[in-house]
Amino acid sequence: MPDPGQAGDLAEFVALLGELRVYAGMPSYRMLAGRVGSLMRPAREVPVTTVVDVFKTGRRRLDLDLVMAVVRALGVGEEDVAAWREACVKVHGLARTGGPVGVFGQLPAELATFTGRDHVLARLIETATRPDGGVDGGQAARTVVISAIEGMAGVGKTQLAVRTAHQLLRAGHFTDLQLYVNLRGFDPDAPPADPAAVLEAFLRQLGVPAQQIPVPRQERAAMYRDRLRERSALILLDNAADEQQVHDLIPAGPACLVLITSRRSLAGLDGVTPYLIDTFTGSESLDLLMRIVGRGRVTAEPEAATRIVKYCERLPLALALTAARLRSRPGWSLAEHADRMQARRLETIRAGGRAIRPVFDLSYRNLAEPLQHAFRLLGHHPGPDVTPALLAALAESPVHEAETALEQLQDENLVRQTTSGRYELHDLLRAYAAELAAADPEPDPTAPIARLASWAVATGHAAAQAIGAQPLPDLLPEQAAPSTPFAGYDQGLAWFDDERHNLSAIQDSADRAGLHPRVWQLAAIQNEYCIVRQQFNDFLPMQHLAVLAAQAAADPAAEALMLSSLGSFYWRMDRLEEAEDPCRRALEIYQTLPDIVGRARALVEYGTVRGQRGNHEHGVALLTQALDLCHGHHMRQDRARALLNRGLLQQRLGRLTEAFADTHQAIAIHRHSDDRRSEALAIGNLAFFHLIDADLDSAFGLYRQEHQLALSLSDTFLQADALLGIGETHATAGDFDQARQAWQQARHLFEQINHHRAAQVQQRLDAIENERPTSWTPTDWGDPQQTGQKGA
């Protein structure tokens, strides 16, 4: 028979009543109702539902006479009824005074479906059992071990803590005592547990008579520490609200272990070792599905199972709820449910009375209003991560305020920082934030993405100029916030490297919102970056979208600019036939506009394409027309580009003297403008001309200059191009071993950027391996363009 004196609170007392019913042979509630009615004073008919309610653990209070009648009906003798009466009175008194809050004398049960976490589990156990108490270096005296398991809602913190505790016990550690409490830091129905009440419950469990427990919390904490001073105890503090709630629940005994779980960072707790828990891996996610749904169903539909894992974003709670729902519906196919999740992700992640959205609601409702606002704003951002500057643009606030908000959201485990200064939302939290944003719209629904796009264009324009792009003042959004200053080339390039995926997502969202000028402006600011990084395949869809946006905006100048850029992308990808039409259309539009600069640039692009397609004289003529337009300091760079590209065609026409002259002029202009990338391009072309002219010493020296400049610019394409030329020069000199080394390096670099010249380099390597030529000249490869010449 269960002992009612073990009840620490009302819930435990009700649970013991349930055990008493089991002990009595599980009589039906109808049978009990018949017995209870005759035992009441006065006797009366008791509804079955009234008896059922006695055994519900969620009750706030119980009728004492009814409970005693139930106890008697379950066969308890009069000598023991008094103990049940006393226990019932006690737990009701504690409930009125805010007493015990669910403290148990043993740990919660482990889940049979516990999955993964092997690495962090091993770290937790190793830290708990090290002789130095987990202190790195092992030089400090052993102290109480405090491990805080932190992470977003639903990531599996509690189950990991419970598994750790049970494994330690099975290994013979902390066997003196185990204390557990749910601190209700994030509870929909009750406030966070009062530390004083928790201390009272712990002290009672430690054998302290109620009348000896002091009232002040500080005195309770001191008594608690004293009682655990020489005990090997494990204390599991689950679902902590913050450091203040757990501070007095930490014992001082060096043989104790404290495991804490929380959605918030507990970094302010002295002596704590944090363990930030991430979502599952893909294999762990599938393993959990198999454990709950059944291996047969999962292996029968592997593609659908993978989709379910994707839609759950590998969040353990989301996976567990989804799997439990599938297990309760054996007639459902995984593919059907994956389709449901694709259409209504958050709504479908539920099982029975549990769902994922209320879990997120708790985290959100615990935020102060300014943080709630910041979190909602993140729902408007379409990109993969966010920076303080980006959030500041969304919120129209200073950057330092945005940074503070992101840091606080990270402490709440609502965002995570995987790279310094860059924050990410878990995709389910992103969907939740988007729902919150949609439920609280601004008067103009397009305003948030308009703010983002304006910031991206203004800042991107500054970054583009830092890496050598021509200034485009007409691109700057009206009333744009001051752009971020960039100290130089490296900073500008790094900004684009970091933001390229955000920029693409912002452009797509701006297109859906009908913000046509921002769509083509976002493409324009990235043109130079695309050339530097040789990312044409990735940027080509963005450029096509930009052309359509310029047309939708009825802006012929913008349309011509975007067509010209599109043609440039195509010819740089060696897709010359596709390049000619947009270049020609761009020139036709510019000829109707009073835009001399635009017309000159379109002539350069079109002339380059015509020349590369074999129409060398026509290309020279078009580039000469461009040079006739390039007057004034503001067009010096355009003049240099025209000269560089005309020099290429002059060499093809056998006019090496003219090719040298044009290229030397281009180099001088680029050096005067400090355009190092264009200078490197021109030096590489000049090196090739010297190689054709059999001046190998000059060719070697110039290719090495190009390589050094490319290294300083972190430009992989130019590095590979210079190495290709160095290999050509070595091969022409008959040194095929040195040529092989240079070409192998060039091939590796071209492969890094997925450039078609990797195949050309491999041809050279194959030739010297298979044929072992006795002599070599660059023109052995036919079209000199394929041996290293470059347009600008």
Side-chain angles (χ1 to χ4, degrees):
M1 183 183 296
D3 178 8
Q6 293 181 346
D9 61 13
L10 192 55
E12 289 185 32
F13 181 83
V14 173
L16 288 170
L17 281 175
E19 292 182 25
L20 180 62
R21 181 170 169 244
V22 173
Y23 175 80
M26 285 296 288
S28 70
Y29 290 121
R30 185 175 302 280
M31 183 183 296
L32 271 180
R35 295 177 185 173
V36 166
S38 63
L39 294 171
M40 296 290 289
R41 295 292 180 267
R44 58 182 178 270
E45 185 176 341
V46 176
V48 175
T49 54
T50 300
V51 174
V52 171
D53 287 344
V54 172
F55 293 90
K56 291 183 177 179
T57 54
R59 294 292 301 275
R60 299 289 182 178
R61 61 180 299 279
L62 294 171
D63 182 292
L64 181 60
D65 291 336
L66 176 63
V67 170
M68 292 305 101
V70 168
V71 168
R72 290 186 175 94
L74 288 171
V76 176
E78 287 302 318
E79 66 277 8
D80 293 319
V81 169
W84 284 92
R85 179 183 292 275
E86 181 182 347
C88 188
V89 170
K90 182 186 73 172
V91 295
H92 276 84
L94 291 170
R96 286 193 299 272
T97 59
V101 287
V103 180
F104 300 96
Q106 59 181 8
L107 298 169
E110 295 179 84
L111 281 183
T113 55
F114 184 87
T115 302
R117 305 299 192 197
D118 294 337
H119 178 66
V120 69
L121 187 61
R123 286 174 53 212
L124 283 162
I125 291 174
E126 192 269 341
T127 300
T129 56
R130 273 164 50 180
D132 57 12
V135 178
D136 289 337
Q139 301 301 314
R142 181 175 174 93
T143 59
V144 60
V145 179
I146 310 170
S147 295
I149 301 172
E150 303 169 3
M152 65 177 287
V155 82
K157 301 178 292 295
T158 296
Q159 290 306 319
L160 175 59
V162 170
R163 171 57 66 98
T164 302
H166 278 286
Q167 286 209 7
L168 286 166
L169 288 176
R170 283 194 289 269
H173 302 288
F174 309 106
T175 54
D176 284 2
L177 178 70
Q178 304 87 47
L179 301 175
Y180 166 83
V181 62
N182 178 1
L183 292 172
R184 299 192 310 246
F186 299 84
D187 191 297
D189 301 317
D194 182 355
V198 176
L199 284 168
E200 179 184 2
F202 278 175
L203 287 170
R204 285 194 290 103
Q205 194 156 348
L206 289 168
V208 180
Q211 63 272 23
Q212 294 181 17
I213 297 176
V215 174
R217 191 175 80 183
Q218 293 81 358
E219 293 183 22
R220 290 182 178 183
M223 179 180 285
Y224 169 69
R225 290 191 297 271
D226 178 70
R227 290 302 173 106
L228 291 179
R229 187 178 63 253
E230 297 180 359
R231 306 286 294 273
S232 177
L234 189 156
I235 297 93
L236 203 169
L237 307 176
D238 190 25
N239 199 14
D242 50 35
E243 295 97 337
Q244 288 70 32
Q245 190 185 30
V246 299
H247 180 271
D248 287 336
L249 306 180
I250 307 296
C256 293
L257 167 68
V258 181
L259 294 174
I260 312 173
T261 72
S262 181
R263 297 186 191 182
R264 289 197 177 108
S265 170
L266 301 178
L269 194 64
D270 291 338
V272 70
T273 300
Y275 295 82
L276 183 59
I277 307 305
D278 205 347
T279 54
F280 275 161
T281 63
S283 60
E284 288 173 335
S285 301
L286 287 172
D287 188 25
L288 182 61
L289 276 184
M290 290 180 184
R291 287 171 179 261
I292 299 176
V293 178
R295 180 173 296 274
R297 288 178 71 184
V298 173
T299 56
E301 298 184 77
E303 293 184 5
T306 302
R307 288 176 61 203
I308 287 171
V309 167
K310 174 186 175 182
Y311 298 145
C312 289
E313 297 298 339
R314 298 181 285 112
L315 184 67
L317 178 59
L319 286 161
L321 290 174
T322 301
R325 193 174 183 202
L326 283 167
R327 183 178 59 186
S328 70
R329 289 162 173 79
W332 281 8
S333 73
L334 270 62
E336 289 172 340
H337 194 53
D339 291 341
R340 293 186 191 96
M341 296 185 73
Q342 182 179 17
R344 304 182 311 279
R345 188 179 307 189
L346 290 179
E347 288 82 352
T348 57
I349 300 178
R350 56 187 175 84
R354 301 178 67 201
I356 196 70
R357 183 183 277 104
V359 176
F360 292 163
D361 285 340
L362 287 174
S363 294
Y364 176 73
R365 288 203 299 264
N366 274 277
L367 300 176
E369 196 284 328
L371 280 187
Q372 289 184 347
H373 178 63
F375 184 74
R376 289 196 304 274
L377 283 174
L378 294 180
H380 292 291
H381 174 45
D385 58 10
V386 63
T387 63
L390 193 151
L391 178 58
L394 264 175
E396 298 180 292
S397 68
V399 173
H400 72 272
E401 290 183 9
E403 183 174 22
T404 298
L406 286 168
E407 283 294 308
Q408 291 174 341
L409 288 172
Q410 179 172 318
D411 287 340
E412 299 287 336
N413 280 301
L414 289 170
V415 301
R416 56 193 174 194
Q417 188 174 186
T418 54
T419 303
S420 179
R422 306 193 71 82
Y423 301 80
E424 298 177 358
L425 278 81
H426 184 275
D427 280 354
L428 289 179
L429 280 173
R430 182 190 305 279
Y432 177 69
E435 285 191 1
L436 293 174
D440 184 29
E442 298 188 22
D444 178 3
T446 67
I449 193 63
R451 294 195 296 267
L452 268 184
S454 296
W455 165 82
V457 171
T459 310
H461 183 259
Q465 288 188 265
I467 64 173
Q470 295 290 337
L472 297 166
D474 293 340
L475 284 179
L476 294 179
E478 303 84 358
Q479 302 175 339
S483 60
T484 303
F486 292 93
Y489 181 92
D490 291 342
Q491 280 194 11
L493 191 63
W495 186 85
F496 278 117
D497 284 339
D498 291 339
E499 298 294 349
R500 54 172 294 193
H501 296 298
N502 278 334
L503 295 176
S504 177
I506 291 170
Q507 190 200 37
D508 285 340
S509 292
D511 181 62
R512 290 192 297 271
L515 303 173
H516 303 304
R518 297 296 177 262
V519 174
W520 66 258
Q521 290 164 355
L522 282 163
I525 62 167
Q526 296 179 81
N527 189 283
E528 185 71 18
Y529 171 72
C530 177
I531 294 170
V532 171
R533 287 297 192 221
Q534 298 287 302
Q535 299 293 324
F536 302 113
N537 282 320
D538 292 342
F539 278 80
L540 200 57
M542 179 181 291
Q543 198 60 43
H544 277 289
L545 193 64
V547 172
L548 296 175
Q551 292 171 345
D555 187 336
E559 182 182 356
L561 179 62
M562 293 302 99
L563 283 167
S564 187
S565 296
L566 180 61
S568 172
F569 280 16
Y570 274 129
W571 72 253
R572 291 173 192 276
M573 297 168 70
D574 206 26
R575 293 164 62 173
L576 299 178
E577 186 175 352
E578 294 168 279
E580 186 158 344
D581 181 64
C583 286
R584 177 184 51 77
R585 288 165 56 198
L587 181 58
E588 290 173 351
I589 294 174
Y590 275 124
Q591 287 172 341
T592 67
L593 300 173
D595 185 348
I596 301 300
V597 174
R599 190 183 311 169
R601 292 174 182 174
L603 282 164
V604 171
E605 297 293 351
Y606 190 37
T608 301
V609 172
R610 294 293 292 164
Q612 287 191 358
R613 296 200 71 189
N615 300 295
H616 300 149
E617 291 288 7
H618 188 203
V620 168
L622 290 166
L623 290 163
T624 302
Q625 289 181 49
L627 286 167
D628 291 341
L629 296 175
C630 293
H631 301 295
H633 180 77
H634 68 291
M635 295 190 70
R636 285 176 60 85
Q637 289 293 84
D638 299 300
R639 182 173 184 80
R641 289 187 66 230
L643 286 164
L644 179 61
N645 286 285
R646 192 174 72 172
L648 296 176
L649 300 183
Q650 298 283 25
Q651 183 274 322
R652 291 188 178 192
L653 289 165
R655 304 167 187 163
L656 204 54
T657 300
E658 289 85 347
F660 275 119
D662 281 352
T663 308
H664 277 295
Q665 286 187 62
I667 290 173
I669 294 172
H670 290 317
R671 282 179 177 164
H672 184 267
S673 304
D674 196 28
D675 185 348
R676 293 181 295 159
R677 186 174 191 281
S678 296
E679 180 187 350
L681 283 167
I683 288 173
N685 285 354
L686 191 62
F688 178 74
F689 299 159
H690 279 289
L691 180 58
I692 292 292
D693 203 29
D695 183 356
L696 302 188
D697 289 341
S698 295
F700 270 129
L702 289 165
Y703 276 131
R704 289 181 180 125
Q705 282 186 46
E706 179 190 12
H707 190 249
Q708 287 302 312
L709 271 172
L711 287 171
S712 71
L713 295 169
S714 302
D715 192 310
T716 304
F717 171 78
L718 286 179
Q719 292 173 45
D721 182 80
L723 288 165
L724 172 59
I726 290 170
E728 291 290 324
T729 311
H730 279 304
T732 304
D735 190 346
F736 292 106
D737 288 336
Q738 291 292 325
R740 181 188 300 106
Q741 292 181 26
W743 284 339
Q744 286 173 340
Q745 294 177 58
R747 179 190 61 191
H748 174 69
L749 291 172
F750 279 134
E751 287 174 345
Q752 280 187 2
I753 57 175
N754 196 29
H755 200 280
H756 63 270
R757 283 195 183 176
Q760 297 171 3
V761 179
Q762 186 60 54
Q763 282 183 307
R764 287 155 170 72
L765 289 167
D766 292 342
I768 63 173
E769 289 297 330
N770 300 328
E771 300 174 18
R772 304 299 298 174
T774 56
S775 64
W776 183 281
T777 63
T779 53
D780 289 342
W781 290 94
D783 186 350
Q785 177 64 27
Q786 295 190 2
T787 64
Q789 291 190 49
K790 306 164 292 299

